[in-house]
Amino acid sequence: MNVLITGGLGFIGSALANRLCLKHNVTVRTRSEKGRDRLTHPEKVRLSTGPVETMSAADCERMELIFHCASTVHNYNILTDPYLDVRTNCEGTIALLEACKAPRPKVVFVSTFFVYGNAPSLPVDENSRCEPLGLYPATKLCAEQFCKIYGRLYDFHVNVCRLTNVYGPGEAFDNPKKAALNTLIRKAYDGEPIDLYYGGDFFRDYLYIEDAVEALVTVAERAPAGELYLVGSGKPILFKDMIDCLHRLTGKRSELRSIPPPRFHEVVGIRNFSANTCKIRSLGWAPKIDIEQGLRMTLARYESGHS
């Protein structure tokens, strides 16, 4: 099968490429070659370099399956370049969908749980109301609608997957804007002080990267056209409990400092989140890596790079 992965050198896109390249003809669309070292079999992956918003029909010719992972990844662009989210998530998605009109491949759009905002009741599911709090999730929600519209109008198979907090090896350990958990893992391993909003008294749903990839592949293989899936572990964990787990795994104990979140984070950030994952599980998928296993494997990756 000919598979295209936009954002294919990013954290999730590269993990998909590594999963699929041994059995399929994989092309990754990437803005630059940064992240190429994430590929475990680079000789088996074809690179197409350029912004997703400049894609044309030639880029999708003969493609049978597309994972659309190209995206901005955090809320902070509004402070520096508010149009970046629009260009990447909206214009980029429209460009891809326009390029898909003739070949009509199957498209899996990778979205985010951030589209829900601070939900009035938890857990959320696919039918819960969306109230995005920042430009990043607002433009992702727009892109979801673009995918649905094009799928209906031009009769090609589209699915949307909203992922919860995905973590694991392959993500940066030094970028708190888009890899907060991996940054926390680094600080715990190095014994650095850890600042906690609300004293860590909030909960989130964390999903290990391999489980996220398997969920996306499962949707591509089994999901009916037009369906939306919320993908997460289904087991929320208190942030302070996760830090306790890290302390056990590292044998170190960082100084914990409870701090109030800055106003920007209070306005655009989600505090508590939990996911009802019954729908994605009905396809036969279930996460295999629990939070302690995932943290252990992510710590091992960090340790191997700093031993």
Side-chain angles (χ1 to χ4, degrees):
M1 181 185 295
N2 295 320
V3 180
L4 173 66
I5 304 170
T6 70
L9 295 185
F11 176 42
I12 295 171
S14 62
L16 268 169
N18 292 335
R19 164 70 167 76
L20 297 172
C21 70
L22 297 180
K23 293 184 178 180
H24 304 287
N25 301 317
V26 173
T27 299
V28 301
R29 178 72 174 195
T30 176
R31 190 175 295 271
S32 71
E33 294 197 15
K34 181 181 179 182
R36 190 182 176 91
D37 58 343
R38 287 186 168 121
L39 298 177
T40 55
H41 301 280
E43 75 284 355
K44 294 184 178 294
V45 177
R46 176 180 172 271
L47 262 58
S48 170
T49 305
V52 66
E53 56 266 32
T54 65
M55 291 186 70
S56 66
D59 296 307
C60 295
E61 189 177 8
R62 293 188 296 277
M63 293 300 169
E64 299 163 87
L65 172 62
I66 297 176
F67 291 97
H68 183 27
C69 303
S71 175
T72 56
V73 293
H74 57 67
N75 280 311
Y76 294 89
N77 294 318
I78 194 172
L79 303 176
T80 54
D81 181 3
Y83 295 100
L84 180 59
D85 291 311
V86 176
R87 288 194 302 271
T88 305
N89 302 334
C90 294
E91 292 180 20
T93 299
I94 290 285
L96 174 66
L97 293 169
E98 280 288 310
C100 289
K101 288 194 299 187
R104 295 191 303 175
K106 183 179 290 187
V107 176
V108 178
F109 176 60
V110 180
S111 190
T112 172
F113 78 101
F114 276 105
V115 299
Y116 292 106
N118 283 311
S121 62
L122 296 171
V124 302
D125 62 19
E126 291 79 2
N127 297 314
S128 298
R129 184 177 178 179
C130 292
E131 289 286 350
L133 302 175
L135 282 186
Y136 161 57
T139 53
K140 294 292 282 186
L141 186 58
C142 284
E144 288 186 15
Q145 299 303 315
F146 298 158
C147 290
K148 294 176 184 178
I149 292 167
Y150 270 76
R152 290 193 302 266
L153 184 60
Y154 295 105
D155 193 28
F156 56 86
H157 189 123
V158 174
N159 292 111
V160 174
C161 292
R162 293 173 180 163
L163 304 184
T164 60
N165 288 106
V166 181
Y167 73 101
E171 182 60 289
F173 288 95
D174 58 357
N175 190 338
K177 288 183 179 180
K178 74 180 188 74
L181 179 53
N182 276 30
T183 300
L184 176 68
I185 289 170
R186 173 184 60 79
K187 288 186 174 184
Y189 179 85
D190 293 340
E192 296 180 12
I194 296 174
D195 294 329
L196 296 174
Y197 297 155
Y198 313 110
D201 193 20
F202 58 92
F203 55 85
R204 289 285 185 87
D205 184 296
Y206 289 93
L207 183 65
Y208 191 68
I209 181 62
E210 290 180 8
D211 286 327
V213 165
E214 290 306 315
L216 294 172
V217 172
T218 298
V219 168
E221 292 177 345
R222 304 177 188 173
E227 293 296 322
L228 161 71
Y229 296 90
L230 176 58
V231 183
S233 70
K235 297 179 179 179
I237 181 171
L238 275 171
F239 206 71
K240 61 185 180 183
D241 290 345
M242 188 164 56
I243 291 174
D244 287 342
C245 181
L246 281 170
H247 284 160
R248 291 197 306 274
L249 293 173
T250 61
K252 302 174 184 178
R253 182 159 290 274
S254 298
E255 176 190 356
L256 304 181
R257 303 181 298 205
S258 180
I259 63 171
R263 181 178 179 276
F264 177 78
H265 189 275
E266 285 190 318
V267 171
V268 305
I270 292 177
R271 182 160 180 177
N272 293 317
F273 187 84
S274 60
N276 179 337
T277 59
C278 289
K279 187 174 180 180
I280 180 68
R281 289 172 184 262
S282 72
L283 297 180
W285 171 88
K288 296 179 180 179
I289 307 298
D290 65 26
I291 189 67
E292 184 163 340
Q293 290 174 294
L295 290 176
R296 184 181 292 111
M297 289 188 286
T298 309
L299 272 166
R301 173 64 65 85
Y302 181 71
E303 184 176 18
S304 67
H306 294 77
S307 57

